[in-house]
Amino acid sequence: DGTQHEPRQGPQLLALQAQILASPLLFAQNPSQAWQFLTEQISRALYADRVSVWLFSAADILQCIDLFEYKNKSHHQGGSLQRSKYPLYFRALTQDVLIAASDAATHAATAEFNDGYLQSAGICSMLDAVIQSEQGLCGVICIEQVSTSRHWTVDEQHFVTAMASVASTVHTFSQHLSLQRDYQLLLDKQEMASRHGRIGFWEASTVNDDLWWSP
């Protein structure tokens, strides 16, 4: 809306964090709903122009899962970043949990974005938080301010770090859902094959003498 807002203080951000954590949308059956909810809530909490979530689709490629733009109230996805093109940024992600760039064009970790990405989108400041999983680095939350540069307060940095932990939980849950769907699909194919092939299965338990037969 173009209005300049004073940054929210720690207690305000903690209250918003609690509201976000309490939402069932974080664990929606459709993971895209969870990502859209998270990016939008972070944008509104920090009065941030752009908030996106990026996950590794391969060892050296970050894929944009969702980008929320506050001005247009719109969601996008599909962009990608390749490690070989932005080595300093990817190195920073492995060394730090947070990249706070008030001047993204000159910051050591984000300056290599300047010629293309930053200038074309009008991005002045970036605040990126690393998303970790049990396997290690799995993605990043990227917060961007356009038109004017911005100093990221300590409270805002703590909030974004907490949101990265939330994103890690959402990512783990979405992976679990995917595994469940794959397993159910396998069971369905097995049942179809046994039905058409007129093959039956049985299973006996030596513990409680239960006996199970396939249909």
Side-chain angles (χ1 to χ4, degrees), residues 16-88:
L16 290 172
Q17 180 180 322
Q19 291 178 18
I20 293 170
L21 287 170
S23 174
L25 288 175
L26 286 177
F27 304 105
Q29 291 297 308
N30 182 357
S32 64
Q33 286 184 302
W35 294 124
Q36 289 182 6
F37 170 76
L38 192 60
T39 55
E40 192 166 332
Q41 292 304 308
I42 293 172
S43 173
R44 295 181 185 281
L46 298 183
Y47 305 116
D49 293 329
R50 292 158 55 99
V51 177
S52 54
V53 171
W54 301 69
L55 298 175
F56 279 98
S57 59
D60 61 344
I61 297 177
L62 274 173
Q63 195 81 27
C64 181
I65 303 303
D66 185 71
L67 164 64
F68 175 72
E69 294 187 276
Y70 182 81
K71 183 178 180 180
N72 303 321
K73 307 296 188 294
S74 60
H75 292 270
H76 310 278
Q77 60 180 5
S80 63
L81 296 174
Q82 192 164 356
R83 187 189 300 267
S84 60
K85 293 183 179 180
Y86 307 102
L88 297 179

Side-chain angles (χ1 to χ4, degrees), residues 89-107:
Y89 177 72
F90 277 83
R91 187 185 307 162
L93 293 181
T94 62
Q95 294 174 345
D96 305 300
V97 296
L98 201 68
I99 299 172
S102 297
D103 185 353
T106 61
H107 191 280

Side-chain angles (χ1 to χ4, degrees), residues 13 16-17 20 42 45-46 155-163:
L13 291 173
L16 290 172
Q17 180 180 322
I20 293 170
I42 293 172
L46 298 183
D155 288 340
E156 289 173 333
Q157 294 182 42
H158 287 166
F159 174 79
V160 174
T161 303
M163 290 298 99

Side-chain angles (χ1 to χ4, degrees), residues 157-214:
Q157 294 182 42
H158 287 166
F159 174 79
V160 174
T161 303
M163 290 298 99
S165 295
V166 174
S168 175
T169 303
V170 171
H171 181 51
T172 300
F173 180 73
S174 64
Q175 285 184 312
H176 178 68
L177 282 180
S178 180
L179 288 173
Q180 275 190 323
R181 293 189 185 104
D182 289 346
Y183 180 64
Q184 186 59 51
L185 182 61
L186 181 64
L187 291 180
D188 292 343
K189 287 182 177 179
Q190 184 185 50
E191 195 277 330
M192 183 182 297
S194 65
R195 187 172 66 250
H196 289 297
R198 301 183 65 81
I199 300 170
F201 304 92
W202 63 270
E203 184 178 292
S205 170
T206 58
V207 177
N208 52 24
D209 294 329
D210 283 345
L211 187 63
W212 172 84
W213 294 91
S214 69

Side-chain angles (χ1 to χ4, degrees), residues 50 69 86 113-124 146:
R50 292 158 55 99
E69 294 187 276
Y86 307 102
F113 292 125
N114 191 39
D115 290 341
Y117 181 65
L118 298 182
Q119 289 184 359
S120 62
I123 297 167
C124 297
V146 303

